[in-house]
Amino acid sequence: MRRIAQLIESEFGISYCKTSVWLVLRAMGFSSQRPTGRAGQRNEQAIQQWRLQRWPLLKKKRAASEESSSSSTKVA
């Protein structure tokens, strides 16, 4: 919104705060845009391969001392 407010000010000489810019845009029929789907160039096979081969190597592994108990007050 800040960039739009700067553009309005440079083009028309009118200064708006972020909220006012949103109200003006909404009155003109604009709305927030969100992606509706996944990227067209998405490679499902490469993603699956990364999940199976690379991700397990990157995941943080628990230390041997952490494996015994999740409670510090529990008697081993």
Side-chain angles (χ1 to χ4, degrees):
M1 291 297 159
R2 182 182 63 203
R3 291 172 62 186
I4 298 170
Q6 289 172 348
L7 177 67
I8 292 171
E9 187 170 7
S10 69
E11 291 291 319
F12 304 105
I14 301 169
S15 179
Y16 285 111
C17 69
K18 188 171 70 170
T19 304
S20 297
V21 170
W22 171 243
L23 292 173
V24 169
L25 290 174
R26 198 169 80 189
M28 294 172 64
F30 289 93
S31 65
S32 312
Q33 294 182 359
R34 305 228 190 288
T36 58
R38 295 180 183 232
Q41 68 272 24
R42 185 176 166 102
N43 185 338
E44 294 295 335
Q45 184 179 4
I47 293 169
Q48 185 64 21
Q49 183 179 0
W50 184 88
R51 281 187 185 149
L52 293 174
Q53 295 175 0
R54 184 74 175 132
W55 177 239
L57 299 173
L58 298 173
K59 280 174 57 173
K60 186 175 181 182
K61 295 185 178 172
R62 291 176 20 170
S65 62
E66 293 179 31
E67 293 178 10
S68 61
S69 174
S70 61
S71 173
S72 61
T73 59
K74 188 174 182 180
V75 178

